[in-house]
Every structure is written in C-alpha cells, then in structure tokens.
Amino acid sequence: MMNGVVSIRNKNGEEKVKIERPGGSSSPIWSIAWNPSKDEHNDILAVADWGQKLSFYQLSGKQIGKDRILTYDPCCVSYFSKGEYIVMGGSDKQASLYTKDGVRLGTIGEQNSWVWTCRVKPDSNFVVLGCQDGTIACYQLIFSTVHGLYKDRYAYRDSMTDVIVQHLITEQKVRIKCRELVKKIAIYRNRLAIQLPEKILIYELYSDDSSDMHYRIKEKICRKFECNLLVVCSLHIILCQEKRLQCLSFTSVKEKEWVMESLIRYIKVIGGPPGREGLLVGLKNGAILKIFVDNPFPITLLKLSTSVRCLDMSASRNKLAVVDEHNTLRVYDINSEELLFQEPNANSVAWNTQCEDMLCFSGNGYLNIKASNFPVHQQKMQGFMVGYNGSKIFCLHVYSMSAVEVPQSAPMYQYLERKMFKEAYQIACLGVTDSDWRDLATEALEGLDFDTAKKAFIRVKDLRYLELINSIEERKKRGENDNELFLADVYAYQGKFHEAAKLYKHTGQESRALSMYTDLRMFEYAKEFVGATDPKTSRILMTKQADWAKSSKEPQAAAEMYLSAGEHLKAIEIIGEHGWADMLIDIARKLDKAEREPLAKCAAYFKKLKHHGYASETYSKMGDLHALVQLHVETRHWDEAFLLAEKHPQFKNDVFVPYAQWLAENDRFEEAQKAFHKAGRQTEAVKVLEQLTHNAVVENRFNDAGYYYWMLSMQCLDIARENEEQRDEMLKKFERFQHLAELYHVYHSIQRYTDEPFSSHVPETLFNICRFLLNNLTKDIPPGISKVNTLYALAKQSRTLGAYKLARYSYEKLQKLHIPSRFQESIDLGSLTIRSKPFHDSEDLIEGMMCYRCSTNNPLLNNRGSVCINCRQPFIYSASSYEVLPLVQFYLEEGIGDEEAVSLIDLEVPHTDQRDQRWQDMDDGEQQALRIDDGFDDEEDDPFTAKMSFEQGGSNFVPVKVSRSVLRSMSRRDVLIKRWPRPLKWEYFRSLLPDMSITMCPTCFKMFHSEDYELLVLQHNCCPYCRRPIDEPN
C-alpha cells in the first residue's frame, strides 16, 4: 500500500497478517512477490519499497534477515520459477539479477526509461521487461560453469555466490559462502583461489591430510581483476587475459608477466616445488609451451599446425597428450618430439597419475582407455572426462562431477598376452576384479615370474600357491635351477596332472609323479606309470591305496589292504576303532610273540572293547605279566589278580593297593585296611583305621571304636617288627591303642545302658564294668567317653547291689560335674534317698575284689588303678563280665627262653596220681581252657605258691619270677600263655583256682570265663573283642 503497510488476507478477503514497514507513507510499496520454491521450510514474501529497500518476510509477518539497501526505486520484483534468483527493475532504467537472499549478481539489460515490470518464463532462463516508454525487451540468461579440478579435489560454483569443494574419492563436500558473485575458481594441492567482483580470496587446508576438507582464509587480494582464466600455485596466482599471463604473489605484487604470440586456449599447473611450479600452456596457433613460475622465459615443447584444445603430461614428464580443434588426440615423446600415436574423436584427455603408460580420452559419448601401444578399449560414458587417477575416472556431466570406477582388466590382459607380467601387475594395482588378479597370478606363475605371481596371490589370499612359490624360492636358493621341474610343480597345483607327470618324467623325477598320483588317489594311473617291475613300489602303492580307502570311509577294505601290505599296526588301528573283536583276535593269534607293538595295540583295543578274555590271552602270549596284572586290576577281576600276586610276589603292591582303594570307594573300609596292610602300605592302612576310629567315636559306635583301636595297635606292632627305627615309638603307640581299645570296648555297654531303654547286661556285670572303667581312666579322658554316664550307671547299680557307700560316693562325684538335664532329676532324687541307706558296702562285693596273690580285700574303687593296694599285683579281668580272674602273671628268670619255658612246663611232672584225676585239659587249637573236677591243691608242695608268698616286700611291685625247677613243677593245664609276636615278649599266667574254667582268645589274648565266651561266640560267630571269626585258623 502507499502507506507502507503489507496486508496478507485469505481468499475471502479477511486480513490474517498486517506488516507495518518502519518508513510508513514515505516508503510506499510498489512490488511484492512470493518465493515459489518448494524446498524452503517457510513461505517467503519479498517486499520492495520506494524507500529503496528490499526485505523478506515469513507468512507470520516476522522479517527474515536485514533490509537490503537499493540504489534506485524498485518498481517490479519477480522470482525465477524455482525460486533460486530474483529479477528486479525500477528507476535505474535496467533489470538486475539477485540471489534469493537479495545479493546483487549483475545487470540483465539496460533500457532508456524506467522498468515498470519484469517476468520470468516458467522453467526457463528467459526474462521479459516492460518499460515506461512502451518498450518490451526479452533476454535469455546463460549461467556458465565456473569450476576447478586438481587430482581428486573438484571445486565448483553453487547458487552463484557459494563454492563447494568436493573430494571425488571420499565423496565429502564442503561449502564456502562468499555472499558475492563468484567469477573464477582455481584449485591446486592445498590452495583454493576464488575471484569475486572486487577481490580474490586465497584459502588453504588446515592440515596436510589427503582427506582433510577444512579450509581457512590465507590471504585476500582486494583488487578488481579482468581475466579469462585464473590459476593458483603454492605461493602465486596466475591471471590469463587473452595473450597475456601475469604472475602475482598473494600480497598482490606482480612478479612476472609473459606475453604470448597467440591467444591462450588452455593452461594447466603440472606441479613442482613450491614457488617453482610448472605450467603447461596451449595457444591458438598450435604452440605448446612450458612455463616455470620462477623463470621469465617460456620453453616451447611442440608446435602444431592446429589450435590446442586440451593438454596433459604423463606422470614422468616424458610424454605429452594433445587434443586439437579437429578432435584428434596426438601423443608425443617430449624428448624426441616424435609422434607416438594418434586417435580420432577426442574432446578431452588425461594421463593416469599412477601409471606412466595409461591414458584415457572421451568423445562422441565414449570413454576410451589406451595402454602403451595396445588397441583402445572403449565403453559408453555420458559427459566430459577431466581426470584419471588410479582406477577412477573423473567425469563432468552437465553441472555434476562424479568419479567413475573403471576396471583395468582390458589393458591388463593386453599386457598378459605379451607376457609383460610386471607391467600387467602395475595395471592390476590400479583396480581389477579378484578373478583378474587370479588370472594374472596364474599366468605369471606359468611364465615363471615368481615375484609377480607371489604379489598377485597375496592379493587374492591364496595360501596354497604362496606355499608353492615359497618352496620354489627356497629350492632356488639351494641351487636348483630346473625350470621344467618348477613348471611341473605348477601344473600339478593347477590340476594339469598328466602334463605335470610328463614333465616330471622328462626331468628324471618319476618319484614325484608317483607321489602326486597317490596323493590324488589315482592309483590306476600310478600303477600304469610304475608298471609291474618294482614289487617294493607296488607294496608302497598298496599301503597308500589302503590309506585312501580308510579316509574314504571304507574301513574293512582299508584294513585288508594294510594286512596285505604288511602294515599290521594300521590294520589293527582301523579294526580296533570299529570294534571288530573277532578279526582282531585272529590277527593277534597269527602274530609272532616277538612283535610286541602290534600285540600291545591289540590288547589295548581289547581292553577298550571290554573283551577281558582276549586281552588276557594277548598279554599272556606277550609274557607281559605287569600289563596282565594291570588288566585284572582295571577290570576288577580280583581273583585272577590275587592268583598272579601269589605266584609273583613282586606284583603284590600292584594288586592290593588298587584293591584296597576299590574297597574304600565301595565303603568296605575294614577290608580296605587289611588290603593296604597286606600290600605293605602301612601308612595308608593306619590312615584308614584312624579315620574309621574317629568316625565311630563321633557316631557313638564305641564298640567299633574299640575294635578299630585294637586293629591300630596291631598295625603298630607290625610296623615295630618291620622297622627298627620306629620300634620304640610304635611300641608306645601299641600300648596306648590297646588301652584305648579296652576303654571304648567297656564304655560301649555303659553308653547303651544310659542311652537305651533296655540293657542286656546283668547288674553285677554293669557294676564291674563301671568300676573297671573308673579305675583305668587317667587324667586325660578319651573323646566320647562320659564320666557322668559312668558314675550315673555305677550309682544306680551300686544301689541295686547294696554297695551304698560306693553309690553315695558316686552321687557326690556327680554333683561336682556338669550333668545333662535328662539325668538331673534322677541324680538329685538318688542323692537324697541314698542317705537313708547304711553307710557301708555289701561284704560279698568286697570279697569279690580279693587279690589272688596276697589275699587282701581291695576297695571297690582304687585311685591307683586296677592293682592290689597291698602287693601292687595287677588284676586280670574277664573281658565279658569284668570280674577279677584267679590269675597271677609270672616272669621267667634270666637265661630262660620262651621255647625252653614251654618245653619245661609241658614236661608235666605230677606229684601224685590223684592230681591227674582232678584236672581236665581242654585245648582244641582255637581256645585254651583249664577245668578242675574235684579236690584241692596242696599249697605246701607247690613251689610257685612259695614264690608268691616270700618274694615281696616294700611298697614297690615285685613281680613273680620263676626258675626252671618251678616251671618243671607247673602243670601245662594251670598255665595260660599270651604268645605275642616279636618284638613283644610272651606273657605267662598261672591259675590259682584250677576249678574255674578260663578261656583265652588266641588272637587278642583276652581272658574270659569259658561259659561266657562260648555263649558270646555262639551269638556273634566271632570273638566279642577282636572279632576274629571262630572258623579262622590261628
């Protein structure tokens, strides 16, 4: 509106947004236009007013950016159809082109009067103007391509004011905004030059990294230049204006100027040290010059008859490619100026920057690749070829640059046809397929160029061929130089077996051919090759054929072939692995016993197959007794193992130790202990027993604990007998373990009485057991034995039997101990009620404790232990009822041996015939018993009684020692002998009441009343103490 207001309304005329301009009525608005671009995020309105400003607004009324100041009054604004440019005209009598952001790019056309209207033809570059004087003008706008290329970096203009630098390999792009019309672009290494209307900007890369895309301004040259071409070097810019070349430093100092004889058509930087770069210049008159930045004098390379259109120099600077105005490509040798070849239909050319002999050129819609002097390889391509780097060709199509990957297969094969392997390898390095690499490797290998072949096989990662090449190289180092032999190996690897065999034969290496055929399982060819002349070779072939049959899963055929070839071990292995036991035993029976290895293998397979009988037969044939013993042990055939151990005692250890371990694993610990003992493994035997004893005590199996301690004591006795060094220690342990065995044995009855509701023992027996235990308990009470239980049982039995004084003593002792709650009430009540009883013990009980040596009545409990208080003679107890037995131990005088003593006793010289009628001897080998029928012994006539009576005195114990005459006077029926094994001495006991029948166990030497012993043996079928079976021989 004239008042400077913009009103945005809907289609019904209702106002939605009102934009008030700051100039108001002094800045009337003459033209507005909406941006037709669909790429913009918001609708954008361009507003031009006569305040000479151009502004942009969003639909919401918010201004975009700042006002653009104009130098005239605008009368018309019009967008291009895609919204990328704006055309404006007005009082300056011309139409101008602007960017969509309002940056002026240039004048479209000048008129003689004000331009009142301008319009752009949709989807085209035509602009029509309408003027004050009635003139209508139509213009076509042509937007030229402004760009620059150096190797893999391409810079081009975008939106007229921006520069985009594209890395053609990594496809990275970076945009540089200049906000002015970009007129020229030049790029070289790490430099980028951009010419704007009033200045030139020089950019450089941040780093030397080949993929770095970060540019920064290095210099600004604030001058206006007119030029046709712009070139940048490391330290200079080159301006080309028709015939003139000017070299300026980055500080705008003109250093050199060259004036040519003709118009300059083409200019290119070909590299060089910084500040001394070379330029390749092509002129319209056909002259081709080389100019160095630091040299004022151009160098003429060639003079053609036609104008130059495109130039490039090869990587080594030895060859020059020229495209003239007739589209003919010519390649010259620079040094000799000789024309090497020429090709028609070319509009651009480029040498490969990585390969000297390769170039490509484009024209007529085709891309042409030429290697050396070989024919051209063609493929279709749209656009204009501008660069060639490795296997990538850079192609400019319309405004876009792309890197086209071109396989170099065709030129590589051209080199291969001429056996030029190294050149072919160079081409392949630029980029070929895996199959091309393999072809190159194979051809080079057949051509015996091992170096090239090795590199190529490394590319395709073919380890097989690499191993072949390495082996050939090693053989060459060792002095081999027969190429035919090397070629034969190559043919063999390639599968050309018959050609390889012919070459092997030709070089006198028939064995290699034979090995090749057998490795390939071509046994028929191998047999033909060998013929029927050599039986040894035929046997080797048979073995190899068997190997093949084995690997091809025909085991039976393979085994038969091995047997035919005499390879017994391999045949046995196959048969054994397949479990054919019958075939295996046939082989074992046919083999000679001297062939130990095959027989051992047969036996091992029989063991694996669990054919115990066959394995045993094989080991017996070999005579390998140790292996046979191991077999019996491993298969748990203990009876056979024991038989062998009996015949060959050296294997005792090998049999009984595993047997003991097996018994222990099967919870048969007692048998295991015996087996360890039998094997001589005393340590293991003792260890098992100790563990068993500990377990029995923990589990309150005191009967078992007593038995295990007795066994331990006997083990210690065995060790003492066999080992002189440990004798004293082991004898001490023997005595200690015997003592513990007796304690646990008697405590078993007390524990059962206190913990179980019923007892099998009569009160007298329990009474005796408790007294025996308390008399023998030292200060250190063994684990598991309870003094409380013992005193409690004694108190109860004492009360029952009338030993009230002893019962009272027991209750008093109990009060000083820690009593379990289950006994507390009973003990408290007993302590009270016992006070109502007389303070003495029954006479009968006291008489039962009479010493049979000195006839002294002993107290029921004795602090000194189980000995007489008068003569100190130890009491001998029955191991069942624990009553004192009428036995007195006697000792032999010095010089009397055990054998002599027994022979003297056995003389049995009776005093009267009447004595013979009174005694009855019972000795069946299992037990010894003395029984009297009637009558009494005459003490006065007995020398032993005299020894008892008169050889004692003082407080120390004086043992009864007997002479030969006393021994001779004794009757064998009165004497019991504990025949201890070495190193213990025998112990002798004389019965003073021959009418009492006493039995002694021949193993543990415990004494019993004969009736008790017989009853217990009938109940348990063994000794109640040592558990020796009654039918076991002594």
Side-chain angles (χ1 to χ4, degrees), residues 106-216:
T107 303
I108 295 172
E110 295 185 1
Q111 298 299 319
N112 296 322
S113 60
W114 287 26
V115 177
W116 279 96
T117 185
C118 56
R119 288 291 179 269
V120 182
K121 184 180 179 184
D123 297 323
S124 73
N125 293 342
F126 290 99
V127 178
V128 178
L129 309 178
C131 304
Q132 174 78 26
D133 59 2
T135 305
I136 294 175
C138 180
Y139 296 90
Q140 181 181 11
L141 303 186
I142 296 172
F143 298 94
S144 61
T145 303
V146 176
H147 60 154
L149 173 75
Y150 180 75
K151 289 193 177 175
D152 49 15
R153 289 177 188 266
Y154 175 61
Y156 62 94
R157 182 174 70 183
D158 186 54
S159 303
M160 302 301 280
T161 59
D162 294 350
V163 174
I164 292 178
V165 183
Q166 177 183 357
H167 197 294
L168 297 170
I169 305 296
T170 64
E171 295 295 330
Q172 287 179 288
K173 289 184 178 179
V174 61
R175 180 184 291 273
I176 298 171
K177 293 191 173 185
C178 300
R179 293 183 175 81
E180 290 186 65
L181 175 63
V182 175
K183 298 180 77 173
K184 295 283 186 294
I185 298 172
I187 189 168
Y188 172 73
R189 288 188 183 165
N190 61 342
R191 299 282 188 264
L192 171 66
I194 303 172
Q195 185 186 7
L196 304 176
E198 301 293 333
K199 58 189 171 186
I200 294 177
L201 301 176
I202 313 293
Y203 288 86
E204 67 175 355
L205 284 171
Y206 270 83
S207 69
D208 295 330
D209 185 8
S210 61
S211 60
D212 185 26
M213 294 295 286
H214 297 285
Y215 283 92
R216 63 184 172 195

Side-chain angles (χ1 to χ4, degrees), residues 233-236 255-256 272-278 292-295:
C233 298
S234 297
L235 305 173
H236 302 86
E255 294 186 356
K256 290 181 183 61
R276 298 169 59 192
E277 289 88 355
F292 290 99
V293 172
D294 63 337
N295 190 340

Side-chain angles (χ1 to χ4, degrees), residues 319 329 331 340-343 351 355 357-361 368-378 408-427:
K319 295 177 185 174
L329 166 66
V331 177
L340 299 177
F341 59 84
Q342 65 179 37
E343 297 286 344
W351 287 97
C355 185
D357 292 330
M358 287 192 72
L359 61 77
C360 66
F361 59 95
N368 304 276
I369 300 172
K370 185 170 178 67
S372 190
N373 295 319
F374 299 125
V376 171
H377 170 70
Q378 277 192 337
Q408 308 298 310
S409 308
M412 187 197 80
Y413 284 110
Q414 289 171 335
Y415 279 113
L416 282 182
E417 285 170 12
R418 298 197 186 181
K419 306 291 182 189
M420 298 167 72
F421 301 118
K422 286 185 168 48
E423 290 82 355
Y425 175 75
Q426 289 178 354
I427 301 297

Side-chain angles (χ1 to χ4, degrees), residues 378-576:
Q378 277 192 337
Q379 67 181 63
K380 284 191 175 183
M381 185 191 78
Q382 286 185 322
F384 188 74
M385 193 281 305
V386 293
Y388 190 12
N389 185 6
S391 63
K392 293 186 186 293
I393 289 175
F394 305 133
C395 171
L396 180 65
H397 180 52
V398 192
Y399 297 118
S400 70
M401 176 72 78
S402 58
V404 180
E405 189 81 39
V406 180
Q408 308 298 310
S409 308
M412 187 197 80
Y413 284 110
Q414 289 171 335
Y415 279 113
L416 282 182
E417 285 170 12
R418 298 197 186 181
K419 306 291 182 189
M420 298 167 72
F421 301 118
K422 286 185 168 48
E423 290 82 355
Y425 175 75
Q426 289 178 354
I427 301 297
C429 287
L430 301 178
V432 293
T433 62
D434 280 353
S435 61
D436 295 334
W437 273 111
R438 188 168 287 283
D439 290 344
L440 167 61
T442 307
E443 291 285 335
L445 192 58
E446 288 182 12
L448 303 177
D449 183 347
F450 298 117
D451 188 45
T452 304
K454 187 175 184 178
K455 292 176 185 173
F457 278 125
I458 287 171
R459 284 283 187 146
V460 293
K461 298 178 182 173
D462 193 324
L463 296 177
R464 235 174 97 253
Y465 278 105
L466 285 171
E467 285 173 5
L468 170 65
I469 292 167
N470 280 337
S471 71
I472 290 172
E473 286 176 345
E474 288 293 323
R475 284 155 58 191
K476 275 188 162 187
K477 285 177 188 173
R478 291 198 296 267
E480 283 188 42
N481 54 7
D482 191 342
N483 284 339
E484 281 194 347
L485 184 57
F486 297 150
L487 192 58
D489 288 343
V490 171
Y491 281 154
Y493 266 71
Q494 289 177 345
K496 302 172 183 175
F497 305 119
H498 299 306
E499 292 94 322
K502 286 173 188 172
L503 279 173
Y504 281 134
K505 196 164 189 177
H506 190 259
T507 55
Q509 296 281 347
E510 288 90 348
S511 60
R512 291 201 178 197
L514 187 65
S515 177
M516 175 186 73
Y517 279 132
T518 52
D519 287 348
L520 294 164
R521 317 292 181 247
M522 297 178 173
F523 296 107
E524 300 308 318
Y525 288 122
K527 286 172 186 173
E528 284 175 24
F529 192 80
V530 172
T533 54
D534 190 354
K536 185 181 176 184
T537 311
S538 299
R539 201 168 73 210
I540 292 168
L541 272 177
M542 183 80 77
T543 303
K544 292 193 174 182
Q545 193 168 358
D547 289 339
W548 170 73
K550 178 185 173 183
S551 61
S552 57
K553 303 196 176 162
E554 294 182 16
Q556 196 154 1
E560 287 166 2
M561 286 178 195
Y562 279 134
L563 288 172
S564 305
E567 293 277 356
H568 291 121
L569 279 172
K570 291 184 178 178
I572 288 165
E573 196 173 320
I574 292 171
I575 293 165

Side-chain angles (χ1 to χ4, degrees), residues 138-373:
C138 180
Y139 296 90
Q140 181 181 11
L141 303 186
I142 296 172
F143 298 94
S144 61
T145 303
V146 176
H147 60 154
L149 173 75
Y150 180 75
K151 289 193 177 175
D152 49 15
R153 289 177 188 266
Y154 175 61
Y156 62 94
R157 182 174 70 183
D158 186 54
S159 303
M160 302 301 280
T161 59
D162 294 350
V163 174
I164 292 178
V165 183
Q166 177 183 357
H167 197 294
L168 297 170
I169 305 296
T170 64
E171 295 295 330
Q172 287 179 288
K173 289 184 178 179
V174 61
R175 180 184 291 273
I176 298 171
K177 293 191 173 185
C178 300
R179 293 183 175 81
E180 290 186 65
L181 175 63
V182 175
K183 298 180 77 173
K184 295 283 186 294
I185 298 172
I187 189 168
Y188 172 73
R189 288 188 183 165
N190 61 342
R191 299 282 188 264
L192 171 66
I194 303 172
Q195 185 186 7
L196 304 176
E198 301 293 333
K199 58 189 171 186
I200 294 177
L201 301 176
I202 313 293
Y203 288 86
E204 67 175 355
L205 284 171
Y206 270 83
S207 69
D208 295 330
D209 185 8
S210 61
S211 60
D212 185 26
M213 294 295 286
H214 297 285
Y215 283 92
R216 63 184 172 195
I217 289 183
K218 179 176 175 61
E219 298 288 348
K220 288 183 184 179
I221 302 174
C222 297
R223 275 177 57 189
K224 185 175 182 180
F225 294 99
E226 289 297 332
C227 63
N228 304 111
L229 293 167
L230 174 68
V231 176
V232 68
C233 298
S234 297
L235 305 173
H236 302 86
I237 57 168
I238 314 294
L239 303 174
C240 172
Q241 180 63 33
E242 295 183 346
K243 294 181 182 182
R244 187 185 305 274
L245 275 179
Q246 286 183 334
C247 175
L248 281 78
S249 70
F250 290 164
T251 55
S252 189
V253 177
K254 184 167 74 171
E255 294 186 356
K256 290 181 183 61
E257 183 174 284
W258 300 271
V259 179
M260 306 299 162
E261 60 194 21
S262 175
L263 289 174
I264 297 168
R265 292 290 301 276
Y266 190 86
I267 184 168
K268 182 175 186 177
V269 184
I270 55 172
R276 298 169 59 192
E277 289 88 355
L279 307 176
L280 207 55
V281 180
L283 305 182
K284 189 173 182 181
N285 64 0
I288 299 168
L289 308 171
K290 184 155 72 170
I291 295 174
F292 290 99
V293 172
D294 63 337
N295 190 340
F297 304 105
I299 302 165
T300 302
L301 297 176
L302 285 171
K303 186 76 168 66
L304 305 182
S305 57
T306 56
S307 175
V308 174
R309 187 170 176 182
C310 185
L311 283 171
D312 199 15
M313 192 179 277
S314 69
S316 65
R317 310 283 189 267
N318 289 325
K319 295 177 185 174
L320 184 67
V322 186
V323 176
D324 64 16
E325 62 182 359
H326 301 306
N327 291 346
T328 301
L329 166 66
R330 290 184 174 87
V331 177
Y332 292 91
D333 185 308
I334 291 177
N335 299 321
S336 64
E337 298 187 10
E338 175 193 354
L339 177 65
L340 299 177
F341 59 84
Q342 65 179 37
E343 297 286 344
N345 303 320
N347 57 23
S348 66
V349 67
W351 287 97
N352 195 316
T353 56
Q354 296 179 20
C355 185
E356 170 70 17
D357 292 330
M358 287 192 72
L359 61 77
C360 66
F361 59 95
S362 60
N364 288 354
Y366 282 94
L367 175 68
N368 304 276
I369 300 172
K370 185 170 178 67
S372 190
N373 295 319

Side-chain angles (χ1 to χ4, degrees), residues 893 896 904 909 943-944 947 962-970:
E893 284 185 352
I896 304 174
L904 288 170
V909 180
F944 182 80
K947 287 279 184 186
V962 296
S963 61
R964 287 184 177 84
S965 59
V966 176
L967 287 170
R968 206 177 290 115
S969 71
M970 288 185 194

